[in-house]
Amino acid sequence: TLEGFATLNADGQNGTYGGRDGQTVTVSNQADLDRYVTAQEPYTIRVQGTVTISPKGTELRVASNKTIIGIGATAAIDQGGFFLAEGVHNVIIRNLTIANTYVDGDWEGKTQDFDGVQMDTAHHVWIDHCHFHHIGDGIIDSRKDTTYLTVSWNVLSDHNKAFGIGWTDNVTAQMTIHHNIFRDLNQRNPSTDNVLRAHLYDNWLLRIESYGNYARGGTNMVLENS
């Protein structure tokens, strides 16, 4: 069940329901996945099996009004991720393993910008029940005033930079982060910079090398049961 800021009626979008009003399609390869995530029409996109992305590190550009959901326990986006540009809204990403864009020898993620999910001023996004691991740069980057975001029931593991939030001087973003496992990570768990309202609750941090929950800049954070 969706909880938190992604449920709100704001910025012309009443809650987050993804591709509910469109057709349901099933994809098992990059060409079909890219076709439907970039379409202007709403879609519920069921991912079957492992979709290997080429070239490695490509972030498929997701358009508004999409649900991208894995079928069963084996659905995966391998060697790629998703990008939500300015104005993209009403997107759900669920039940996927997103992994393996890591570049050997680049633990700090300085040679590329391969994120699991990057959002640049998107709104009304729900990331739920995914497992992210071994990503090139940031597992999740919520950037440039991305708002009305809920991140729930995910596992973020085996990486340096887990979850970065900010890259803006504005203090407008609102987000809920709950029931996630952060394990075998270094930094940004998450790093929350200049967020008007950040509600973090019931998150579990295990084997963190550097720091855990971090409220930076103008962030107002309610942190419970971490």
Side-chain angles (χ1 to χ4, degrees):
T1 302
L2 176 59
E3 302 178 16
F5 283 107
T7 68
L8 297 186
N9 184 352
D11 290 353
Q13 176 65 37
N14 189 1
T16 304
Y17 47 84
R20 179 189 68 189
D21 296 335
Q23 294 181 339
T24 297
V25 296
T26 300
V27 302
S28 57
N29 59 70
Q30 180 176 345
D32 288 340
L33 178 60
D34 190 53
R35 171 188 171 189
Y36 289 115
V37 299
T38 59
Q40 294 307 301
E41 302 83 7
Y43 278 104
T44 294
I45 304 159
R46 292 159 37 99
V47 178
Q48 186 170 41
T50 297
V51 176
T52 301
I53 304 299
S54 181
K56 179 178 179 177
T58 298
E59 296 172 17
L60 303 183
R61 297 182 72 90
V62 181
S64 299
N65 305 311
K66 301 294 183 294
T67 297
I68 308 166
I69 184 167
I71 301 172
T74 61
I77 306 300
D78 188 62
Q79 301 184 46
F82 296 111
F83 176 74
L84 282 63
E86 181 175 357
V88 170
H89 60 277
N90 191 29
V91 173
I92 299 172
I93 300 172
R94 299 189 77 187
N95 197 41
L96 288 166
T97 295
I98 300 175
N100 298 327
T101 58
Y102 177 71
V103 174
D104 288 341
D106 185 20
W107 171 244
E108 294 187 351
K110 298 294 188 183
T111 65
Q112 37 60 44
D113 187 23
F114 300 163
D115 297 328
V117 178
Q118 180 174 316
M119 300 163 282
D120 283 4
T121 318
H123 65 95
H124 289 90
V125 180
W126 183 21
I127 303 171
D128 179 69
H129 278 92
C130 292
H131 182 193
F132 298 88
H133 64 86
H134 296 98
I135 301 296
D137 184 34
I139 288 179
I140 300 174
D141 276 359
S142 179
R143 299 162 31 109
K144 300 181 181 179
D145 308 322
T146 293
T147 190
Y148 304 112
L149 169 69
T150 295
V151 177
S152 59
W153 297 98
N154 301 285
V155 178
L156 290 75
S157 74
D158 304 285
H159 192 53
N160 176 21
K161 296 181 286 189
F163 188 173
I165 304 166
W167 292 272
T168 180
D169 294 328
N170 302 318
V171 185
T172 59
Q174 302 183 81
M175 59 191 62
T176 303
I177 301 165
H178 71 89
H179 287 97
N180 300 284
I181 296 174
F182 296 81
R183 65 169 175 82
D184 301 295
L185 298 162
N186 185 31
Q187 58 180 311
R188 302 183 185 176
N189 298 292
S191 173
T192 312
D193 188 25
N194 286 343
V195 173
L196 180 64
R197 296 183 180 93
H199 188 193
L200 280 64
Y201 59 93
D202 295 333
N203 295 295
W204 183 38
L205 290 81
L206 176 67
R207 296 187 297 272
I208 302 299
E209 292 293 326
S210 182
Y211 60 86
N213 306 139
Y214 186 9
R216 301 174 53 196
T219 292
N220 302 287
M221 179 183 289
V222 174
L223 176 62
E224 303 175 281
N225 299 322
S226 179

